[in-house]
Amino acid sequence: MKDSQPIQLAFHWEAEVKPRGLGARVDSLPARPPIERPMFGENLMEEMCERGNMRAALQQVRANQGSPGIDDMRVDELPAFLKTHWLTMKEQLLQGRYHPQAIKRVEIPKPGSQEKRKLGIPCVIDRLIQQAMLQVLQWRWDPTFSAFSYGFRPGRSAHQAVAQAQAYLEQGYSYVVDIDLEKFFDRVCHDRLMSRLAQRITEKRVLKLIRAFLRAGILENGLMTIPTEGTPQGSPLSPFLSNVVLDELDKELEGRGHRFCRYADDSNLYVRSARAGARVLASISCFITQRLKLKVNWSKSTVDRPWKRSFLGFSFTGGKRPKRRKIAPKALARFKARVKALTRRNQGRSLGHVITTLSAYLRGWIGYFEFCQTPAVLRDLDSWIRHRLRCLQWKHWKVYRRRKAELLKRGIPQALAHTTAWSAKGPWKISHTPGVRMALNNHFFDQMGLIRLSAHHNM
């Protein structure tokens, strides 16, 4: 079934009452004004199981794709499964008898680190139910979150968080208190989280279901364990629950009058001096450990100049001039490592195939990092990428006769083609010479479909 086609499920739905805002994707829902009494009623489970809400949840789960859970059911098998089993599932949910399946634990490498990030992959049925619950809770709870919290919220983005940090620098807050939480998603205290939820949710069935998701078994290397803390990264509900936990930190920072930005578990506070930063770091760390029962990673938490730190892949220029956004050094290093892997000269792939694969990566990368304000860096990256591709093509031509013929075919004069093809220089050095640069010029790569990073940049 294609995503562009309407989803037709043979469910025996009740009369449809479409929930507000649920016809669109959750992360595009508009923020609603704060409500005076943020107490949720007793019919949340019925609203969660309502036809329009479940359709929106199914569309979102299918759009997200994702790997199968422990039952090996794929996302594209979900609609057919629901046609047969939805009524039973709905009855279990409404009666408070639904039990989630165990979560499959997988590990993926952390960018720029040798550590592994542990992901929990629920089965697609549980992802659907969590998504439906998220849609019911999100629009109610989100208006009460801090204005300086930007992660996993409708209408908010990492770019907005970086722009807010830049605004603090322009106001003279030239020191950053960078607080890193150690294994945050693995250390969330279940009892504290459920207590926070119970302050706003009176629906016992919803609270019981959330607790069941938190306590779902984790299957790793053939062994099943029952977690006593943490929220599994990889589940639709986990980002929302993390914001519920850290909203207490946000409110504390606001109450103290601090300037801060938070994106998920990345928190940056901005102060005017190193001494003030040291005081704030010590004080807030005590709050985090004693009140929130979380752990501060002291190897990564510090007080420093913002242009010596990175925030969401960005940093800032130093000096007395107005601070500009730039791509963080670690982000640039990861980018270059990826490009090198895609343009290795021993892969045996044609230049056209390499450019197609590379351009797909470049398009996604620049979609995020075009927010930088240092276009010269992007122009240098464009030049470096073309340099690597010239090396690749030169190696593919292999021998003198082929190289000379290819240069002549591209309009290089006879004498220059001869000296270039006969050169003993290696691919990297020869790609700097006029003969190769003229033959494989910028227009050539444009015609091949290579993405130019600098062309997508908007100051």
Side-chain angles (χ1 to χ4, degrees), residues 17-213:
V17 180
K18 191 172 184 180
R20 288 173 289 176
L22 294 178
R25 290 185 51 164
V26 172
D27 53 0
S28 64
L29 295 177
R32 286 169 170 74
I35 48 183
E36 294 182 0
R37 297 187 60 193
M39 184 67 70
F40 303 163
E42 294 287 348
N43 297 314
L44 290 181
M45 191 64 77
E46 282 77 9
E47 187 175 342
M48 190 185 86
C49 296
E50 191 272 331
R51 181 182 184 184
N53 186 55
M54 293 303 301
R55 285 185 182 276
L58 178 58
Q59 290 176 348
Q60 188 63 52
V61 170
R62 295 177 74 219
N64 291 341
Q65 290 300 310
S67 303
I70 62 170
D71 60 356
D72 292 327
M73 181 187 295
R74 301 187 306 273
V75 173
D76 56 8
E77 298 177 285
L78 185 55
F81 178 87
L82 291 174
K83 288 180 180 179
T84 304
H85 298 90
W86 168 245
L87 290 180
T88 301
M89 290 172 52
K90 180 179 178 180
E91 182 180 2
Q92 291 175 347
L93 289 167
L94 294 179
Q95 294 180 2
R97 296 187 294 105
Y98 183 83
H99 297 287
Q101 298 185 55
I103 294 171
K104 182 167 67 175
R105 171 64 56 79
V106 297
E107 293 185 347
I108 62 172
K110 283 187 176 181
S113 172
Q114 294 183 349
E115 299 179 9
K116 298 286 187 177
R117 175 178 284 119
K118 293 185 177 181
L119 296 182
I121 304 179
C123 65
V124 293
I125 294 296
D126 289 338
R127 297 210 293 267
L128 173 70
I129 294 173
Q130 288 193 38
Q131 180 65 35
M133 182 179 293
L134 172 65
Q135 292 170 175
V136 169
L137 297 179
Q138 178 88 62
W139 71 268
R140 286 177 165 87
W141 213 299
D142 188 81
T144 67
F145 286 148
S146 168
F148 304 102
S149 166
Y150 296 91
F152 310 119
R153 296 184 59 191
R156 290 174 171 263
S157 68
H159 288 172
Q160 292 175 335
V162 175
Q164 180 62 66
Q166 186 179 17
Y168 290 142
L169 300 186
E170 294 172 351
Q171 295 167 14
Y173 296 89
S174 56
Y175 285 85
V176 61
V177 182
D178 191 346
I179 300 178
D180 184 82
L181 301 181
E182 185 173 317
K183 298 180 179 179
F184 165 73
F185 285 93
D186 297 331
R187 295 182 182 274
V188 170
C189 177
H190 287 178
D191 291 338
R192 280 197 58 79
L193 172 58
M194 294 307 303
S195 176
R196 293 281 293 177
L197 293 171
Q199 292 174 10
R200 308 277 291 282
I201 299 175
T202 60
E203 171 67 89
K204 301 300 183 183
R205 293 171 298 176
V206 171
L207 292 173
K208 180 180 177 181
L209 183 57
I210 294 176
R211 172 76 81 168
F213 280 126

Side-chain angles (χ1 to χ4, degrees), residues 443-456:
H443 180 65
F444 167 81
F445 288 115
D446 290 341
Q447 289 185 319
M448 293 286 289
L450 179 66
I451 293 294
R452 284 201 194 193
L453 302 178
S454 55
H456 289 70

Side-chain angles (χ1 to χ4, degrees), residues 200-298:
R200 308 277 291 282
I201 299 175
T202 60
E203 171 67 89
K204 301 300 183 183
R205 293 171 298 176
V206 171
L207 292 173
K208 180 180 177 181
L209 183 57
I210 294 176
R211 172 76 81 168
F213 280 126
L214 292 174
R215 296 276 293 167
I218 297 176
L219 183 63
E220 184 176 12
N221 299 324
L223 298 176
M224 183 77 72
T225 58
I226 304 299
T228 58
E229 59 181 5
T231 61
Q233 293 188 70
S235 65
L237 200 56
S238 183
F240 168 74
L241 295 179
S242 71
N243 275 334
V244 172
V245 172
L246 292 176
D247 184 57
E248 192 171 355
L249 173 62
D250 297 340
K251 296 299 191 292
E252 180 71 15
L253 295 175
E254 289 180 340
R256 298 186 185 188
H258 291 309
R259 278 78 176 168
F260 72 97
C261 302
R262 183 177 67 79
Y263 191 94
D265 57 334
D266 290 336
S267 299
N268 278 7
L269 289 75
Y270 294 85
V271 295
R272 293 186 183 275
S273 69
R275 172 182 275 181
R279 290 196 305 267
V280 169
L281 178 58
S283 176
I284 294 301
S285 297
C286 288
F287 177 85
I288 290 172
T289 55
Q290 296 176 11
R291 181 75 68 84
L292 301 185
K293 308 301 180 184
L294 298 171
K295 188 174 181 180
V296 176
N297 186 344
W298 287 104

